[in-house]
Amino acid sequence: MTPSTQNSSGDAEPKRGEGYGTGYGYGYGYSSQRIGDFARTWHTLLEKAWIIAVSLAVFLLIGLFYIHRTPATYSATATIEAEQDEPDILKMEMIRTKDIQAVDYLQTVAQTLTSRPVLERVAETNGFWTDRRFITVTNGVTDDALSRKHVVDKLERMVQVKLRRGTRLIDVTARHIVPELTEQIANSIVSEYISSRAEREDTSITMANQNLSREAERLRKKLEESENALQAYKEKHNASSLDDRQNTVVAKLNELSTRATEAKSIRIKTETEYGQVLKLGTNTAALLNVPAVAHDSTVAALELSLTKAEEDFATLRERYKDKHPKYIQAVTQIGKLREDLGSAVLGAVETLKASLESAQAAEEALNQAMLAQETAALELSKLSIEYGVLAREVETDRALYDAVLKGMKESALSQATQQTGIIRVVEPAWLPDHPVWPRKSAILAMCAMGGIFLGIFIVLALRAVDTSIKTVDEAETGLGISVVSVVPDMKQMSNGRSRLVVVDDARSEGAEAFRTLRTSLSTLGTGEEWRVCLFTSAMPSEGKTFCSLNYAASLALLGRKTLLIDADLRHSSLEGAMFGPTGVGAGLSDYLAGQKKFEEAVRPASIKHLFLMPGGSASSNPAELLAADGLKAVVQEALKRYDRVVVDSAPINAVSDTLLILKCAQSVCLVVRAASTSSRYVMRCIQLLHTAKAPISGIILNRMPTRRHAGYGAYYDYHYHGNYAQEGAHAKH
């Protein structure tokens, strides 16, 4: 039955968190699911703290064993520096081939320090082949048969070279159980590396000198051949002054090109003016507008005289008449000037034609001269190409020969001065005064952290695979049914001494849980509607018999005449719990089989108002007895005689007996063992109950752990109730 739905009587069930208290472990006191999950995880860790403690102890023991078994290891470090510049007094650039500022060069130096040739020199120099301190292994047993390879391998394992980031410093660290050896090995590696480097450089210089000598002889011969070839070419083509001849030809060609360009411009201009003159024909007035005609000296002088004569004639016309001699003379003079001007204009046209022909001839002559000069330049260019090739070859051979000669001199001087000081010892290794391993505190701290983390991982893994119901929140959220009571785990349930806690220990936490259950069920409806209550469970050993017995006893203590029916005919246990091992008496199976009457199957308990109908005689077919009419007749008869009827039934997932009698119950309580029963089994049980339309009142979480750190608190603090009861008892006295 989900929250806020109606029960079989029509009354609305209380919502989660209403009327039952709030807080972690019950109801919805935490609004944040994340906080609830964190709290459950935290309390799970506290509950399983013994796993973490065991894991921590195991790891600490392993760490202590390791510390005890591991011999003390000492460490010594020598620091060297790769100089930024060689002390090259002679500036011998020819034989310098390494960029010592490059990272790859520094890495090469670091790797070479632990190369096998260097380590073999160290072993040879220090006599490690026979040094018993070196060949002594960790457990104190010596191995005299160590080969040279094994000695070098051991040296390689105990030496570490590290380049300091951002610097040219290299640390050479040696580790061994003998402190004197660490200092000896670190310093020896540095010294042997410097010595081997000097030897390698000396060998390299010698080989370079030999190679340079051979190369110098080859280049000398090649230079001689190229010079002879150049000289022969000069003699063959008379090319001793080839450059001067080529410069002269080029200068003359440039001059002719300039003059040809000017002649072409003059020709184009003259040709344009002559074209205009041809279009105008003999029109003197129009020809005078052509610049070449207008600028002619004769035409210009006649035009000026004509203009003056016309001005004078204009003056005479004002003084004389046309018959006057001066008038006639002026007219005659003007006519003569106009005839002369026409003749002069025609003469200027002929002059312009002659100028055009002269310009065309000059341009043609210059073009011919320029073409001849270009031919000469091409011939000289062909000669200069081959000449340049031979000359460059001579220059190249001479430069190479000079460079090789310089390198030979530098190589000889470098070998004499031994300029190999680019590796400098910054700090030699010192004798260590305390071991660097094992670090007891660090190892124990790491073991402690590892143990704690492993323990936490195991606890969380167990929690992940654990599907049992541990809190009221998990039950109500996951199953969708309200929890009506939480019964704490009690010693009486574990050792079997007493199962009637509401009577034997009325002020205990368990007794209060059943009184709470009684109150919770009483609020779900009127008394007539909730007189028959059935207790069941998903699996055996959930505690349904214990809960039904104590619930019935709590009703009897309240003055309700209560009948407790043991309907678990396959495993009847109520009779033994109430009366002890007194044998099997008449009970429910006898009544259903018609062998006993109702009164004969009921026995009064030691508690007033409480009566028990045991399971009765063993039956081979309990399901058939219950399938007839279930408990309908039994319940009807019981309701006539008793105020309340409590039925203890069989587990639903185990057998089908309970499903046959559900119709007789007005209220069904599902008992779930907290922190034990899987939620999958409980969900299966609830599905069967819903299918059978059972009036589920709620879930009883039984045997809930009551440890404060476990996080499984129920309605309230049971200890508070106990203290309150004791204070009340003292007050009465």
Side-chain angles (χ1 to χ4, degrees):
M1 184 179 298
T2 59
S4 301
T5 59
Q6 290 187 341
N7 53 37
S8 58
S9 64
D11 297 329
E13 290 187 357
K15 296 181 179 179
R16 297 172 185 168
E18 295 182 358
Y20 301 121
T22 59
Y24 180 72
Y26 186 84
Y28 290 83
Y30 283 88
S31 59
S32 174
Q33 186 67 27
R34 177 182 296 180
I35 297 176
D37 292 340
F38 174 78
R40 283 191 288 274
T41 302
W42 171 250
H43 289 299
T44 301
L45 294 174
L46 292 179
E47 180 190 11
K48 303 294 184 181
W50 65 272
I51 296 179
I52 302 176
V54 170
S55 176
L56 175 62
V58 170
F59 270 68
L60 288 177
L61 288 175
I62 294 175
L64 291 173
F65 178 77
Y66 175 80
I67 292 173
H68 177 70
R69 296 287 297 175
T70 303
T73 303
Y74 295 85
S75 174
T77 301
T79 303
I80 63 174
E81 177 187 6
E83 295 284 357
Q84 185 172 1
D85 293 309
E86 285 188 70
D88 191 0
I89 301 174
L90 300 175
K91 303 298 181 182
M92 300 177 182
E93 301 293 338
M94 185 65 189
I95 60 173
R96 181 176 297 173
T97 59
K98 297 184 289 292
D99 181 10
I100 59 175
Q101 300 183 27
V103 177
D104 56 351
Y105 170 70
L106 297 177
Q107 293 288 354
T108 303
V109 173
Q111 294 295 326
T112 309
L113 284 166
T114 55
S115 62
R116 299 188 73 85
V118 174
L119 296 180
E120 287 181 359
R121 291 172 62 102
V122 172
E124 186 70 34
T125 303
N126 295 277
F128 288 153
W129 317 114
T130 58
D131 192 340
R132 304 183 70 85
R133 298 177 305 167
F134 181 80
I135 62 178
T136 300
V137 294
T138 304
N139 56 9
V141 179
T142 59
D143 185 2
D144 297 332
L146 283 178
S147 65
R148 299 175 70 90
K149 178 180 181 301
H150 291 162
V151 171
V152 175
D153 289 342
K154 288 193 66 174
L155 271 174
E156 189 174 7
R157 288 193 298 269
M158 68 177 60
V159 176
Q160 180 183 10
V161 177
K162 183 178 181 181
L163 175 64
R164 296 187 187 179
R165 185 184 297 273
T167 68
R168 297 183 303 278
L169 299 179
I170 301 175
D171 294 328
V172 181
T173 303
R175 293 191 176 189
H176 199 269
I177 59 176
V178 180
E180 293 80 5
L181 285 181
T182 59
E183 175 192 11
Q184 182 180 351
I185 292 172
N187 290 329
S188 181
I189 287 176
V190 173
S191 61
E192 293 300 328
Y193 171 75
I194 294 176
S195 299
S196 64
R197 178 185 176 85
E199 294 174 2
R200 289 196 307 271
E201 290 189 357
D202 184 64
T203 303
S204 299
I205 292 174
T206 302
M207 295 179 63
N209 196 13
Q210 295 175 356
N211 293 332
L212 287 174
S213 298
R214 290 192 294 269
E215 184 67 14
E217 181 63 21
R218 186 186 68 81
L219 290 176
R220 185 189 65 78
K221 294 180 179 180
K222 190 173 184 303
L223 176 61
E224 184 178 353
E225 293 175 357
S226 59
E227 287 179 343
N228 292 333
L230 180 62
Q231 183 62 30
Y233 184 82
K234 287 181 178 180
E235 294 175 357
K236 179 179 179 180
H237 297 283
N238 192 19
S240 59
S241 59
L242 185 62
D243 292 339
D244 295 339
R245 291 168 57 192
Q246 191 172 13
N247 292 335
T248 302
V249 170
V250 171
K252 191 172 182 180
L253 181 62
N254 292 335
E255 180 183 358
L256 289 174
S257 177
T258 303
R259 291 174 58 189
T261 302
E262 294 175 352
K264 183 178 181 181
S265 300
I266 294 173
R267 190 262 303 169
I268 293 173
K269 179 180 179 183
T270 306
E271 193 174 49
T272 302
E273 292 177 345
Y274 184 71
Q276 293 178 351
V277 168
L278 292 179
K279 291 180 180 180
L280 296 176
T282 59
N283 189 350
T284 304
L287 290 174
L288 287 174
N289 294 325
V290 177
V293 176
H295 293 162
D296 185 78
S297 58
T298 304
V299 173
L302 290 174
E303 188 177 12
L304 181 62
S305 299
L306 178 62
T307 302
K308 183 177 180 184
E310 288 178 348
E311 291 177 353
D312 294 341
F313 177 72
T315 304
L316 289 175
R317 288 177 63 181
E318 295 178 357
R319 295 176 59 187
Y320 303 104
K321 299 203 179 204
D322 53 356
K323 297 296 184 179
H324 193 276
K326 291 185 176 181
Y327 185 92
I328 296 171
Q329 183 182 0
V331 170
T332 303
Q333 184 180 3
I334 290 173
K336 178 64 175 169
L337 288 174
R338 286 179 178 174
E339 291 178 0
D340 293 339
L341 179 61
S343 300
V345 168
L346 295 177
V349 170
E350 292 298 327
T351 302
L352 180 61
K353 180 179 179 181
S355 298
L356 175 60
E357 293 175 352
S358 175
Q360 290 175 344
E363 181 183 5
E364 181 66 22
L366 288 173
N367 288 335
Q368 292 294 330
M370 188 171 61
L371 181 61
Q373 203 65 27
E374 287 178 351
T375 303
L378 289 175
E379 292 295 332
L380 290 176
S381 178
K382 291 179 181 179
L383 294 176
S384 65
I385 290 175
E386 187 173 357
Y387 176 82
V389 171
L390 294 174
R392 284 193 297 272
E393 186 174 359
V394 171
E395 293 175 359
T396 302
D397 292 341
R398 182 177 289 110
L400 289 175
Y401 182 67
D402 293 341
V404 171
L405 290 178
K406 180 182 177 182
M408 290 176 60
K409 295 178 181 179
E410 290 180 353
S411 176
L413 290 174
S414 177
Q415 187 173 13
T417 56
Q418 283 292 325
Q419 298 190 64
T420 59
I422 66 170
I423 299 297
R424 183 172 64 88
V425 179
V426 176
E427 182 179 359
W430 300 95
L431 180 66
D433 54 357
H434 61 275
V436 296
W437 191 262
R439 296 182 181 178
K440 298 181 180 180
S441 57
I443 292 175
L444 292 178
M446 292 176 60
C447 290
M449 293 178 61
I452 292 174
F453 286 140
L454 179 61
I456 292 175
F457 175 77
I458 293 174
V459 171
L460 295 179
L462 292 175
R463 181 180 183 273
V465 300
D466 186 8
T467 59
S468 62
I469 300 172
K470 295 181 175 62
T471 65
V472 176
D473 284 348
E474 291 180 1
E476 294 186 338
T477 303
L479 303 177
I481 299 177
S482 299
V483 175
V484 293
S485 183
V486 180
V487 181
D489 193 8
M490 295 171 288
K491 294 181 179 180
Q492 295 89 333
M493 298 174 63
S494 301
N495 54 32
R497 291 200 311 268
S498 174
R499 304 186 65 174
L500 202 58
V501 295
V502 294
V503 176
D504 297 339
D505 193 358
R507 293 186 296 180
S508 66
E509 301 170 355
E512 182 61 30
F514 287 108
R515 285 192 285 270
T516 302
L517 174 62
R518 180 185 63 193
T519 303
S520 299
L521 294 179
S522 67
T523 61
L524 298 179
T526 62
E528 293 298 326
E529 296 172 344
W530 299 92
R531 294 177 61 188
V532 181
C533 184
L534 183 142
F535 284 76
T536 187
S537 64
M539 303 296 293
S541 302
E542 301 277 355
K544 59 177 181 55
T545 300
F546 171 76
C547 293
S548 60
L549 173 60
N550 281 275
Y551 174 67
S554 67
L555 292 174
L557 292 175
L558 198 61
R560 302 286 191 270
K561 191 176 181 181
T562 304
L563 174 63
L564 178 59
I565 301 175
D566 189 351
D568 189 357
L569 300 181
R570 300 176 188 267
H571 185 68
S572 301
S573 58
L574 280 174
E575 184 177 11
M578 295 184 65
F579 304 111
T582 58
V584 178
L588 178 61
S589 62
D590 301 293
Y591 176 75
L592 293 177
Q595 298 176 0
K596 297 291 183 179
K597 296 181 179 180
F598 187 86
E599 297 82 0
E600 295 174 342
V602 176
R603 297 174 59 183
S606 58
I607 304 174
K608 187 178 181 181
H609 303 303
L610 180 60
F611 299 85
L612 172 67
M613 177 180 284
S617 303
S619 175
S620 60
N621 55 349
E624 285 73 9
L625 291 176
L626 296 174
D629 62 351
L631 294 181
K632 183 176 181 181
V634 178
V635 172
Q636 289 178 353
E637 185 65 27
L639 290 177
K640 297 177 182 178
R641 303 167 184 258
Y642 302 97
D643 298 326
R644 297 288 187 270
V645 176
V646 179
V647 180
D648 178 26
S649 63
I652 290 181
N653 289 345
V655 293
S656 61
D657 298 358
T658 303
L659 299 176
L660 301 174
I661 62 176
L662 287 175
K663 296 181 180 180
C664 301
Q666 297 174 331
S667 174
V668 175
C669 291
L670 179 61
V671 179
V672 177
R673 183 170 178 178
S676 177
T677 305
S678 173
S679 59
R680 295 193 298 269
Y681 299 150
V682 180
M683 285 297 299
R684 173 60 179 166
C685 176
I686 293 175
Q687 290 176 1
L688 293 174
L689 291 174
H690 282 312
T691 302
K693 298 182 180 181
I696 304 175
S697 299
I699 295 174
I700 300 173
L701 289 180
N702 188 35
R703 300 193 67 174
M704 179 74 78
T706 57
R707 286 169 291 178
R708 299 294 298 171
H709 63 273
Y712 302 127
Y715 298 88
Y716 46 79
D717 190 353
Y718 290 100
H719 296 284
Y720 169 80
H721 167 73
N723 296 335
Y724 177 81
Q726 292 176 4
E727 292 176 2
H730 294 162
K732 290 181 181 180
H733 291 294

